[in-house]
Amino acid sequence: MLRKIYFPLLFLAGLLISCNDGFEELNTDPNRPKEITPGVMLGQLQYKIINSTVNASRNFTHELMQVDAPRASAGGGGLHRYLVNPGTGVWTNFYTYLSDIQDIYVIADKLNENNYKAISLIYKSWSYSILTDLYGDVPYSQATKALEGNFKPTFDKQKDIYIQILKDLQTANNLLDDTKALTYGGDMLYHANALSGAKNHGILKWKKFCNSLRLRLLLRLSKKEGEINVKEQITSILADPTNNPVFTINSDEAIFRYPGTFPFFNPFYNARQVDWRDGNYFTKFFMDKMNLTNDPRRAVWSTQVKSDTEAIYRGIESGYPTTLEYAVGANSSYADGLKTLPQLGVMMTLAEVEFIKAELALKGFNTGSTPGQHYESGIAASMTQWGANVPAGFAKQPGLLFDANATEEKQLEQIMLQKYYAYFFVDYQSWFEKRRTGFPVLPRGSGIPVENIFPSRVPYPTYLQSLNPEALKTAIASMGGDNSNIKVWWEK
């Protein structure tokens, strides 16, 4: 009897052992990475971080900078009336991304992958420049150290953050090696994953982005010459384009081009009409100036409306009285083509670099061209970026012709107005630059209360009062307050 029971049990055990043999191998997803590499993390980071900034430009900067305005705003609030709420979303998102950026750097360092280290430093510098320009003093030197037990980082002063950002960008420039491929792939911005011949042309573009970003940030610190050697660093970049290349053609631009395949869609891909364009319309300030010059970017950016039998581009007032409400569909809003446009993921463009050079030439730097030439090149570069044809003689017409005989301030105003248009969908940059230069001069709507001042920063997230109260209190005291009227270090 025992033998009758024993042998079936033995046979069953054998079956179980034989069935389990190779089970782990069969149950392994061949498409799932077996280890975390810089390449595994990079592409996802690039997609997520650009979605945040594209959304920020559409939902924050465009209203504040009178690109668009809400159709109705009866409650008396809104960015177009200069009311800025504490910036919870951008703070949370960017510090999450910065943790990923730090992980990429640490893993790349262990693997001795300098190109990935350089790319992580560029993303770190770009991200922190946005954070500190939004808030002022922010956690930097002690940030992203939760695994080391630091859950309450101190806030670094903006000056110290900028000094380190500029050092990191110089380090990144030196680390980038265009004779090597990205061993683990993953780059969705410049596709610097493989060599073409003996060169990695994508890595050269990363180098150009790195130095173009340095120029952006150095120009932002113009008022702080003496505290930081701004002129010396700008001159060194301009004087050595071989070692410090910047954008020179449109294909150099730092634009995340959405592939339009799952899951990498433009963030507005499935936006309903009511959310995409029925609630906001372009402003008169934004649209009327383009109408005067028949700007071809209108057809890419905006819808037309009927005026009698004519199709026209028409904007609304910004900062209007609370009693005013605009009719649905009666004014120009965002073109549906933008929802599927691959090149909406803008970080930095050739147009911006040309306008930076126009201003630098105006200030006496040797850029190789005149302010007017850079100005015209910037306009043309923006047209090309958006797929609009540049009409012959476009920049020579009244309203656009650069006046080299005007005062330096008037020339700067011309440059900054066109730079403003070139910043369409570029995170918060047009706001930062208005704070730096005062341009463009925006009309003040009659519905903006007299006590509302054009904002200079975003207040800290309210949740920091419970999560990191001591460090927050010290930062607020250092900044001189925590409202949107407080100027950050470079603006003072």
Side-chain angles (χ1 to χ4, degrees):
M1 182 70 179
L2 287 173
R3 290 182 63 181
K4 288 182 180 179
I5 297 172
Y6 178 75
F7 280 113
L9 288 174
L10 195 63
F11 178 70
L12 180 59
L15 281 176
L16 289 172
I17 292 169
S18 63
C19 286
N20 190 55
D21 186 31
F23 178 76
E24 185 176 341
E25 182 179 343
L26 288 171
N27 204 42
T28 300
D29 183 352
N31 297 315
R32 186 185 295 270
K34 295 182 179 179
E35 60 180 344
I36 297 177
T37 68
V40 169
M41 299 184 70
L42 181 58
Q44 290 292 330
L45 168 72
Q46 291 174 323
Y47 174 66
K48 290 186 294 185
I49 203 166
I50 197 61
N51 281 356
S52 288
T53 58
V54 167
N55 276 298
S57 61
R58 172 72 165 85
N59 298 320
F60 182 96
T61 312
H62 284 187
E63 182 178 342
L64 180 60
M65 289 298 296
Q66 294 193 29
V67 172
D68 68 31
R71 183 181 67 82
S73 182
L79 289 160
H80 69 123
R81 296 196 182 100
Y82 304 161
L83 291 177
V84 180
N85 295 319
T88 302
V90 62
W91 182 284
T92 303
N93 289 338
F94 265 81
Y95 275 109
T96 300
Y97 304 143
L98 282 161
S99 294
D100 292 343
I101 291 167
Q102 181 64 21
D103 287 344
I104 291 173
Y105 184 91
V106 170
I107 296 169
D109 190 43
K110 290 179 180 177
L111 296 170
N112 197 29
E113 291 283 348
N114 283 346
N115 279 335
Y116 284 107
K117 287 171 65 176
I119 290 170
S120 70
L121 287 175
I122 293 169
Y123 269 110
K124 178 182 179 180
S125 301
W126 176 72
S127 300
Y128 270 117
S129 72
I130 291 173
L131 276 173
T132 190
D133 289 349
L134 282 172
Y135 298 100
D137 299 351
V138 297
Y140 181 81
S141 58
Q142 294 183 10
T144 66
K145 294 186 182 294
L147 291 178
E148 299 173 23
N150 189 342
F151 298 102
K152 296 183 178 182
T154 58
F155 288 53
D156 295 73
K157 293 186 179 298
Q158 186 179 62
K159 176 182 176 180
D160 297 331
I161 294 170
Y162 256 95
I163 289 172
Q164 190 58 50
I165 284 174
L166 292 169
K167 286 181 180 178
D168 282 348
L169 288 173
Q170 285 184 299
T171 299
N173 184 55
N174 295 332
L175 284 173
L176 287 165
D177 184 349
D178 65 1
T179 66
K180 293 184 178 180
L182 287 179
T183 308
Y184 302 94
D187 179 21
M188 295 184 69
L189 180 63
Y190 285 128
H191 306 284
N193 302 311
L195 296 177
S196 176
K199 287 290 185 180
N200 188 332
H201 300 292
I203 291 296
L204 178 58
K205 291 179 181 181
W206 273 110
K207 206 174 182 77
K208 290 182 176 183
F209 177 31
C210 178
N211 291 296
S212 298
L213 182 57
R214 287 171 68 194
L215 278 184
R216 171 197 279 178
L217 301 181
L218 285 164
L219 184 58
R220 190 151 296 156
L221 303 184
S222 297
K223 292 181 181 178
K224 297 303 177 180
E225 175 62 38
E227 293 187 59
I228 293 180
N229 59 338
V230 175
K231 291 181 180 178
E232 179 184 341
Q233 291 191 57
I234 291 174
T235 300
S236 68
I237 294 171
L238 296 175
D240 190 359
T242 300
N243 291 314
N244 302 306
V246 298
F247 298 155
T248 55
I249 54 177
N250 281 98
S251 59
D252 292 336
E253 295 171 319
I255 297 177
F256 184 96
R257 287 172 168 80
Y258 292 95
T261 55
F262 182 83
F264 303 108
F265 291 109
N266 177 318
F268 307 113
Y269 181 77
N270 287 318
R272 301 175 303 168
Q273 178 175 317
V274 66
D275 300 319
W276 174 243
R277 54 186 170 92
D278 284 352
N280 293 73
Y281 298 111
F282 288 118
T283 68
K284 290 178 64 66
F285 175 82
F286 184 78
M287 194 58 67
D288 286 359
K289 293 181 185 300
M290 290 200 293
N291 284 338
L292 285 173
T293 58
N294 289 313
D295 195 309
R297 289 172 292 189
R298 293 174 303 173
V300 182
W301 293 347
S302 58
T303 59
Q304 289 184 304
V305 293
K306 285 285 187 179
S307 176
D308 296 326
T309 59
E310 185 183 3
I312 63 169
Y313 298 99
R314 182 167 58 205
I316 66 174
E317 298 290 347
S318 181
Y320 50 78
T322 57
T323 53
L324 184 60
E325 181 175 326
Y326 288 95
V328 174
N331 294 280
S332 295
S333 190
Y334 293 86
D336 284 342
L338 292 173
K339 296 197 294 183
T340 55
L341 194 71
Q343 66 265 34
L344 201 67
V346 186
M347 296 173 70
M348 193 171 184
T349 65
L350 172 62
E352 181 182 352
V353 171
E354 287 296 334
F355 289 124
I356 287 171
K357 286 184 174 180
E359 184 177 347
L360 292 176
L362 191 62
K363 295 177 183 294
F365 287 90
N366 181 8
T367 63
S369 294
T370 66
Q373 288 168 334
H374 285 303
Y375 168 84
E376 291 188 11
S377 295
I379 293 171
S382 181
M383 301 283 185
T384 301
Q385 172 197 333
W386 290 101
N389 294 321
V390 187
F394 178 75
K396 300 295 186 184
Q397 63 179 307
L400 277 176
L401 180 65
F402 189 75
D403 187 357
N405 296 316
T407 64
E408 183 175 322
E409 183 178 23
K410 283 295 183 184
Q411 291 181 63
L412 178 62
E413 183 175 6
Q414 271 196 281
I415 292 167
M416 295 308 298
L417 177 61
Q418 290 307 312
K419 193 176 187 181
Y420 163 78
Y421 283 105
Y423 274 141
F424 190 63
F425 271 104
V426 185
D427 55 81
Y428 305 91
Q429 296 305 313
S430 64
W431 178 40
F432 297 159
E433 286 292 87
K434 176 168 173 58
R435 284 158 47 190
R436 180 180 70 86
T437 65
F439 298 120
V441 177
L442 301 173
R444 186 181 176 97
S446 60
I448 301 176
V450 67
E451 64 271 16
N452 290 15
I453 300 172
F454 186 80
S456 286
R457 64 182 287 274
V458 173
Y460 293 121
T462 53
Y463 65 67
L464 294 177
Q465 295 171 10
S466 58
L467 293 180
N468 196 4
E470 295 85 2
L472 177 63
K473 183 178 179 181
T474 301
I476 291 173
S478 175
M479 291 285 297
D482 185 28
N483 59 61
S484 62
N485 300 333
I486 299 295
K487 296 184 184 300
V488 302
W489 165 73
W490 56 253
E491 194 180 347
K492 294 178 181 177

